[in-house]
Amino acid sequence: MSSLAAVILAHEDPAMVRRLISALDGVDVFLHCDRKAPAAIVNAMTAGTGCSVRPVTRYKTALASWSLVQAELAGLRTALEHSPAEHLMVLSGSCYPL
């Protein structure tokens, strides 16, 4: 049982998102991919991740808008419903834990 889960908000750069997911090995990951992103991008982010990554309902987002809050809240709700984690972190697709 992991005491930590991650909500990732991404829209591009599948290779970077995959590196981020790999760095979070052992952590429940919940991925929101912007609805504006093409299916090929979404598929590239999640291909081969198995059950370690759970998709989040996708919203069309824009910078500095309520839509980002909606996407984050959707991710947090999904994490609370599907993870026993005691702590949640919210990351962007361009974050990279050191």
Side-chain angles (χ1 to χ4, degrees), residues 11-53:
H11 68 281
E12 63 181 3
D13 200 351
M16 179 64 185
V17 173
R18 294 297 299 262
R19 285 193 302 273
L20 174 58
I21 291 168
S22 293
L24 296 170
D25 187 39
V27 173
D28 294 334
V29 174
F30 300 87
L31 177 64
H32 173 274
C33 188
D34 193 298
R35 194 169 58 190
K36 294 180 292 190
I41 298 270
V42 178
N43 293 337
M45 286 182 189
T46 59
T49 58
C51 61
S52 66
V53 177

